[in-house]
Amino acid sequence: MKKIAAVGIAAVLAAGMCMSSFAAGWENSPAGWVYQLTDGSFAANTWEQINGAWYYFNENGIMLENGITPDGYTVGADGAWVENIARQAQQAMDQAGITEEQISQAASDAAALAQQAMDQAGITQADIDAAAAQGQEILSQAQEAASGLTENDVNQIMQAAQEAASSLTENDVNQMVNEGVTQAQQAAADAGITEEQINQSIADAAGAAQQAMDQTGITQDDITSALNAAAAWFGF
C-alpha cells in the first residue's frame, strides 16, 4: 500500500513539473532577438503581439528588423510593425491637439507664400523645371564621365584638389566669395530684380517656414538635431 502511494505521489509531482509554465520574454541571441513563449518554446514563423506591438519571427525564431515580412508588411528598426508607429504618431498628434486639417493648411499656406515669393522674384515654374532639367543633365554627364575613371584616376584628382586647396589663402577664398556675390548681384540687376525684392522674398519664405513650424510644433532645436544627424551620417 505504501508503495502504491509513493508511486501515486511521484506521478502527481511529475505531472506538476510537466505543467509548470515558463516566463515569456525577450532574449538577445547571437543571430538576433528571439521571444520565448510561456510554454517554453520560441516564437517562429509567426506574428506575436507583445506589449501592444506586433513583431514577426522567421522560421528560425529570429525577429525581423527593417524589412518586409513574407505576408507583405513592413517592420521598422525595432522590429515593430510600422502600422503601430503610425498609430503612435497619430496619438501624439491627438494629444497635442494637432489635426490633419491643420497640417494640410500649414502646408498649403507655406506653398502659397513660396509661390508669392517666386512671383515677386519673377521666377516661374518653367524656370524651375529648366533648372531641374539642366541639373539632371549635368548629373548625367558627371556620372558618364565618372564611369570611365579608374581608381588611380580618382586618387590623382583627389591629390590635385588637395594640393590646390592647400595653396589657397583666406584672402583667395574671400575674393572668390566676393566675386560670386558680385556676379549674382549683376545677374539680378540684369533680370530687373532689386535687392529689396530679394530681401523681401527671403523674409517671406522665412516667415512661411516659421509659420509652418509653429503650426506643426517643430522647433529650431528639432531642425538643428536633424541637421546634426545628417551631418554625422555624411561624415561631416
Side-chain angles (χ1 to χ4, degrees):
M1 185 68 179
K2 290 182 178 179
K3 186 176 181 180
I4 295 174
V7 171
I9 293 172
V12 170
L13 291 173
M17 292 174 65
C18 292
M19 290 187 296
S20 62
S21 62
F22 293 81
W26 290 99
E27 291 185 17
N28 192 5
S29 74
W33 285 97
V34 298
Y35 191 80
Q36 187 177 28
L37 304 173
T38 55
D39 63 358
S41 65
F42 287 87
N45 201 28
T46 186
W47 285 91
E48 288 291 336
Q49 188 176 28
I50 304 169
N51 295 328
W54 285 95
Y55 301 87
Y56 182 81
F57 300 87
N58 65 17
E59 65 275 8
N60 297 317
I62 307 301
M63 181 193 75
L64 181 64
E65 304 175 17
N66 274 334
I68 307 296
T69 64
D71 48 357
Y73 293 93
T74 301
V75 294
D78 62 350
W81 179 30
V82 172
E83 176 70 13
N84 286 286
I85 298 174
R87 288 178 180 173
Q88 292 172 6
Q90 184 62 52
Q91 289 174 356
M93 287 173 54
D94 294 341
Q95 291 174 355
I98 301 173
T99 65
E100 293 280 352
E101 290 73 16
Q102 287 176 316
I103 294 176
S104 298
Q105 186 60 49
S108 178
D109 291 343
L113 288 171
Q115 185 62 54
Q116 181 180 355
M118 287 171 54
D119 293 341
Q120 291 177 345
I123 301 172
T124 66
Q125 186 61 46
D127 295 331
I128 296 175
D129 293 340
Q134 185 177 7
Q136 185 60 47
E137 178 63 25
I138 293 172
L139 178 60
S140 298
Q141 292 175 357
Q143 290 174 335
E144 183 178 353
S147 64
L149 293 176
T150 65
E151 184 176 356
N152 186 49
D153 294 332
V154 174
N155 290 336
Q156 289 180 351
I157 293 171
M158 291 295 292
Q159 184 177 356
Q162 289 173 345
E163 291 176 354
S166 65
S167 65
L168 289 176
T169 65
E170 185 176 354
N171 288 334
D172 294 331
V173 175
N174 290 334
Q175 183 178 352
M176 286 188 290
V177 171
N178 291 333
E179 289 176 354
V181 171
T182 300
Q183 291 174 359
Q185 290 173 335
Q186 185 60 49
D190 294 341
I193 301 173
T194 65
E195 186 174 353
E196 288 74 16
Q197 289 176 315
I198 295 174
N199 292 336
Q200 185 60 48
S201 297
I202 293 173
D204 290 341
Q210 186 62 53
Q211 183 178 357
M213 287 168 58
D214 293 341
Q215 291 178 345
T216 55
I218 299 173
T219 66
Q220 187 62 45
D221 289 339
D222 296 330
I223 296 175
T224 301
S225 297
L227 290 174
N228 289 337
W233 191 87
F234 281 105
F236 293 151

